[in-house]
Amino acid sequence: MSSEMCLSEKHCTPCQGSVPSLPKQITAELLLKLAKGWAINDIDHLYKVYTFNDFSGAMRFANAISIIAENEMHHPNLTISWGKCAVEIWTHKIEGLTENDFILAYKLEDV
């Protein structure tokens, strides 16, 4: 499987819906390589809550994510509240996790 450095340098590729979800063992391995705070939630989506000192910081972060998401054509769910921006990532067409989801997560760590 791809290393952390390789994933951060890759770009998301459009999913046609025929790509299978990553096996649980692979998602567990990739999750261990992600930055602290990422988890796989109860519905098998990548999830992380970023914290900030105020609402504006969370909004600036969300706006920076939007640029990356548009460039990668892979869009996470964002929940913004005072001092927090929760990010949830999965491949919608297959309702599961693919390499694209981990690529995007790695890129968000550079914001």
Side-chain angles (χ1 to χ4, degrees):
M1 196 65 201
S2 303
S3 72
E4 178 180 343
M5 178 163 268
C6 291
L7 280 180
S8 66
E9 294 173 357
K10 286 185 169 189
H11 293 282
C12 296
T13 56
C15 177
Q16 303 303 318
S18 59
V19 175
S21 295
L22 291 172
K24 298 265 188 218
Q25 179 183 353
I26 300 297
T27 60
E29 290 171 13
L30 290 172
L31 185 63
L32 287 174
K33 294 179 183 178
L34 270 174
K36 211 173 193 179
W38 284 99
I40 296 177
N41 65 16
D42 293 343
I43 51 177
D44 291 328
H45 298 170
L46 276 173
Y47 185 80
K48 183 173 180 176
V49 177
Y50 292 86
T51 57
F52 302 89
N53 293 327
D54 55 22
F55 186 77
S56 296
M59 285 301 300
R60 280 191 299 277
F61 182 71
N63 286 327
I65 287 174
S66 73
I67 293 167
I68 294 168
E70 282 297 304
N71 287 339
E72 295 298 325
M73 296 299 294
H74 194 47
H75 305 93
N77 281 11
L78 303 176
T79 303
I80 302 157
S81 59
W82 194 96
K84 293 181 183 175
C85 181
V87 179
E88 187 175 14
I89 306 171
W90 76 99
T91 300
H92 296 80
K93 284 191 177 184
I94 64 166
E95 286 297 321
L97 294 174
T98 64
E99 186 178 62
N100 285 342
D101 303 307
F102 288 91
I103 290 170
L104 184 59
Y106 277 103
K107 290 180 183 295
L108 298 186
E109 288 301 309
D110 290 335
V111 172

